[in-house]
Amino acid sequence: MIRPARADECRDRLWEAVVAGDEYDAVDAVRQALADGLDEEALLLDVIASVQEKIGTEWAADRLTVAQEHAATAINERVVAALARPPRAERTGRTSRGRVTVGSVDGDWHAFPARLVTEVLRLRGWQVDHVGAQTPTPHLIAHLHHTDPQAVLLSCSLPTRLPTAHTAITACQAVGVPVLAGGRAFGPGGRYARALGADRWAADARGAAGVLAVGLPRPAPRAVRQAVDDLPHLADQEYTMVVHSRGGLVKQTLTGLEDRFPAVRAYTDAQRERTAEDIAHIVDFLATALYVDDPEVFTAFLTWSAGILRARGVPVHSLLAGLDVLVGQLRDFPRTLGLLREGRLAIRTRSTGPAPGPGIRV
């Protein structure tokens, strides 16, 4: 019988290895746990995935640099690769439960969640075409025409890619392939997956395997739906106007910050460039909240951003000042103004807690 502490012990050893940049010890940790009786699926989901989440948490709390986060993630990917290569004798004679395609939506570079799903499904007997991160929708559709899978498992980690995910969902269904959506971007309980018309949603790899085991009915091939067919509120054109105005909004907000947050005037070129990127993210999340008509997309990003700023010693007032400048530019858009008001309120009421401490386990 597997001792309950075994996964914890492996997780701790793997964490120490990835932070130290020791790929060999990281691989040895999971191989030893496998030899001790911890199965591959538990290693993938209860150990490796948990460590990957902690990597993100520690980066957000400014306890890992961007370079350290990238290096740790690369080691974790190598660990998955090592675990996913059983001896040829173990692969011979396996029967397939069917063929599916797994990938991330175009513009979403987070390949790790989809890779974990792929390996779990392979363990459970599925033939999986893993098409990786940032899969352009036309290329995905061409692949479906060539392979005719039983389903597409579409991963989306970045909420700002939800409009692109919507396009991919409707395109897959138009050629008769059902879509199983997954990833944090689809919201609590998968509410955005339902809003965008996905056939099903799963919270994690085990849930996805369960959905496939039951089966997904194939939609009848049809013309691609328009976004407004699923999301009637888009008829007000506010989303389109904000997206088309993105460049000007970012530029004018950066200029306006000089008056509302004078410290910006002394920024170096590199600091101004970073600030412009932050403003662009704010505009992108604002647009996405308009697309799905849900303020939580915007307010969750703002409160997360406030925590990041605190961890880096930047006053949260700078974030509020940026929203004030945006309000002045978007006075003619009532839904947008409502989101900006809710964003200000969320920052003031939700973002008062400290950044996660070093003892956190995810």
Side-chain angles (χ1 to χ4, degrees):
M1 179 179 294
I2 300 172
R3 290 185 294 115
R6 185 167 294 157
D8 289 343
E9 293 167 358
C10 183
R11 188 185 300 118
D12 291 342
R13 182 180 172 188
L14 179 59
W15 169 250
E16 292 173 1
V18 298
V19 171
D22 191 336
E23 178 181 321
Y24 295 105
D25 194 45
V27 172
D28 287 345
V30 296
R31 285 179 172 168
Q32 183 60 56
L34 189 63
D36 288 343
L38 196 61
D39 66 73
E40 292 98 327
E41 185 171 304
L43 280 168
L44 287 166
L45 303 181
D46 301 329
V47 174
I48 298 172
S50 180
V51 168
Q52 185 62 30
E53 187 170 358
K54 187 173 181 179
I55 290 169
T57 300
E58 294 298 286
W59 167 82
D62 205 24
R63 290 187 287 269
L64 289 180
T65 67
V66 172
Q68 287 174 317
E69 182 271 330
H70 284 8
T73 297
I75 291 174
N76 235 7
E77 289 171 344
R78 292 287 296 140
V79 170
V80 173
L83 187 64
R85 293 179 181 174
R88 181 175 296 276
E90 294 183 20
R91 302 196 303 265
T92 304
R94 286 185 178 178
T95 59
S96 174
R97 303 180 66 173
R99 188 172 190 173
V100 296
T101 297
V102 176
S104 301
V105 300
D106 195 7
D108 191 336
W109 63 84
H110 292 85
F112 203 83
R115 179 65 191 277
L116 290 176
V117 171
T118 291
E119 299 308 331
V120 168
L121 294 181
R122 285 173 176 165
L123 287 171
R124 296 199 181 197
W126 291 90
Q127 179 184 350
V128 184
D129 298 318
H130 180 80
V131 294
Q134 304 194 78
T135 309
T137 298
H139 293 281
L140 175 61
I141 299 306
H143 178 78
L144 301 185
H145 280 299
H146 180 69
T147 59
D148 191 30
Q150 292 173 232
V152 171
L153 285 78
L154 196 63
S155 175
C156 189
S157 298
L158 299 172
T160 53
R161 306 314 300 166
L162 284 173
T164 305
H166 194 189
T167 299
I169 289 168
T170 57
C172 292
Q173 293 168 334
V175 298
V177 180
V179 177
L180 171 55
R184 289 185 175 181
F186 288 110
R191 63 190 183 203
Y192 306 133
R194 290 190 294 275
L196 302 183
D199 296 277
R200 290 290 300 275
W201 169 83
D204 52 30
R206 292 186 176 105
V211 171
L212 291 178
V214 173
L216 282 170
R218 285 184 177 268
R222 58 180 183 269
V224 177
R225 301 190 307 278
Q226 299 301 308
V228 73
D229 294 332
D230 292 324
L231 305 171
H233 55 268
L234 293 178
D236 66 11
Q237 295 295 305
E238 288 198 32
Y239 165 77
T240 302
M241 294 298 293
V242 168
V243 170
H244 288 174
S245 304
R246 180 181 185 270
L249 289 171
V250 173
K251 184 177 180 180
Q252 292 175 46
T253 302
L254 184 60
T255 300
L257 269 178
E258 294 182 355
D259 295 326
R260 294 179 178 268
F261 190 64
V264 173
R265 299 171 187 169
Y267 278 8
T268 64
D269 289 344
Q271 287 174 315
R272 290 181 67 85
E273 182 177 351
R274 180 64 182 271
T275 302
E277 291 174 355
D278 291 342
I279 295 170
H281 289 317
I282 292 172
V283 174
D284 290 342
F285 274 86
L286 176 63
T288 303
L290 287 168
Y291 191 88
V292 297
D293 198 31
D294 189 338
E296 183 63 22
V297 172
F298 189 50
T299 57
F301 171 72
L302 290 177
T303 53
W304 177 83
S305 296
I308 296 292
L309 290 176
R310 282 198 312 277
R312 285 155 173 72
V314 180
V316 175
H317 170 69
S318 63
L319 189 55
L320 293 169
L323 295 183
D324 289 342
V325 178
L326 283 171
V327 166
Q329 299 176 71
L330 296 167
R331 293 189 181 279
D332 294 332
F333 304 111
R335 272 205 305 135
T336 306
L337 288 179
L339 290 172
L340 290 168
R341 285 194 296 268
E342 295 211 33
R344 285 186 56 86
L345 180 63
I347 292 171
R348 293 186 179 279
T349 59
R350 294 193 221 165
S351 60
T352 56
I360 190 171
R361 177 174 297 285
V362 296

